[in-house]
Amino acid sequence: MSSERHRPEGVAVRVFVAGAMLFLFAPVLVMIVFSFNDPGGRFNYELHHFSLAAWRHPLDVPQLGLALRNSLVVAASSTAIAAVLGTPIGYVLGRRRFPGRGAAAALTFVPLATPEVVLGAGLLTLFVATATTEPLRTITGGLLFPLGLPTVIAAHVTLGVSFVIINVRSRVVGASPVLEEAARDLGASAATAFRTVWLPVIWPGIASGALLAFAISLDDFVLTNFTGGGTVMFPTWVYGLVRRELPPQVAVVGVLIFLVALGAALGAVLLGARGRRRLTPGGEV
């Protein structure tokens, strides 16, 4: 094993992986460094003096707190809705056989494959139509117009639900139905079998899909810009801000969001590993 590490190809692989990881995390490292910077002006582009002022007052920029709160509300709401909608759909597509199953599974990739500009324009047209066209106006009750938090949440659900469906379906397809059949033979109802057998199997897929939906919702600019109206959201607020100034507080908030996302991702990995051990011989099941 040690001799393989010193082979030229082994060294090349390690150097390549290290370079790729450095390339991926370089923006994050720069963001961390500049969060401790005192720019001495309106734009935090050059390192001047080390300072903790931005960390002591991370929301000391007009509308930053409001923008961050709205983005967190939208991300949490759209993620919860996507998980509730995507879990049963992913389970059915992976477990049941019915006419049109393949077409339905393929359609789950459409929101991900569609350019966000096109999807945003279509959603904007739909939301405006709910206020001008029947029966859409009666069905929606005016909830989706004028544009605001509800329309941004609805737009982000269209992306997030696909991630949940895909991850749940892959977990169901890769699992054996033997445990469910055993539970049904012992008298368990379909609901009980799903809760006690399938839910522990698919919840890592639910968690990973929800994390992807949350992360994408939090920093999505295109759909938010099309469907947000006058609502202050973090991505669109930063885009408008950088034309006038770029305070270090933006980097501080970015670091905090990165740490939360990193913790959630590590938690999902650990819980997913525990879920896989439950299905292996000698595990808890």
Side-chain angles (χ1 to χ4, degrees):
M1 182 68 68
S2 59
S3 61
E4 294 180 358
R5 294 180 180 178
H6 297 286
R7 291 178 180 178
E9 58 270 22
V11 174
V13 169
R14 291 198 298 275
V15 171
F16 176 80
V17 172
M21 296 300 293
L22 179 62
F23 176 79
L24 290 176
F25 285 97
V28 177
L29 296 176
V30 171
M31 181 175 61
I32 294 174
V33 171
F34 275 80
S35 69
F36 295 99
N37 183 42
D38 180 8
R42 291 189 302 169
F43 293 94
N44 190 24
Y45 291 153
E46 297 181 4
L47 290 174
H48 286 274
H49 305 288
F50 177 85
S51 174
L52 294 175
W55 282 93
R56 294 192 186 102
H57 307 284
L59 302 180
D60 194 20
V61 178
Q63 290 193 319
L64 174 55
L66 176 61
L68 184 59
R69 184 192 67 186
N70 287 341
S71 290
L72 289 173
V73 168
V74 168
S77 302
S78 61
T79 298
I81 296 173
V84 171
L85 295 178
T87 298
I89 297 175
Y91 170 76
V92 170
L93 291 177
R95 183 73 180 88
R96 308 300 179 188
R97 297 186 179 276
F98 54 89
R101 174 193 178 193
L107 287 175
T108 61
F109 291 91
V110 171
L112 304 180
T114 304
E116 282 199 48
V117 172
V118 177
L119 185 60
L123 288 170
L124 175 60
T125 303
L126 173 63
F127 295 153
V128 173
T130 60
T132 60
T133 306
E134 294 290 354
L136 292 176
R137 183 166 57 182
T138 302
I139 294 174
T140 60
L143 178 64
L144 299 177
F145 196 85
L147 303 178
L149 287 181
T151 55
V152 181
I153 292 172
H156 288 194
V157 168
T158 60
L159 284 181
V161 71
S162 295
F163 288 107
V164 177
I165 292 173
I166 293 170
N167 280 276
V168 170
R169 180 174 179 269
S170 65
R171 294 286 301 183
V172 174
V173 170
S176 172
V178 172
L179 293 178
E180 179 189 6
E181 295 171 356
R184 296 300 297 272
D185 289 341
L186 293 174
S189 63
T192 301
F194 176 81
R195 178 176 56 85
T196 59
V197 176
W198 280 111
L199 195 57
V201 173
I202 66 177
W203 77 260
I206 300 174
S208 59
L211 284 172
L212 285 172
F214 184 86
I216 290 174
S217 173
L218 199 59
D219 66 358
D220 183 90
F221 172 80
V222 177
L223 292 183
T224 303
N225 192 44
F226 270 100
T227 61
T231 305
V232 180
M233 303 290 295
F234 185 69
T236 53
W237 176 81
V238 172
Y239 177 76
L241 181 71
V242 295
R243 291 177 291 181
R244 308 187 306 271
E245 60 176 323
L246 184 62
Q249 282 84 354
V250 173
V252 171
V253 172
V255 172
L256 294 175
I257 293 175
F258 168 75
L259 292 177
V260 171
L262 181 62
L266 291 176
V269 170
L270 294 176
L271 293 175
R274 181 182 178 185
R276 286 190 295 270
R277 285 198 299 269
R278 289 174 57 89
L279 300 177
T280 57
E284 299 178 24
V285 175

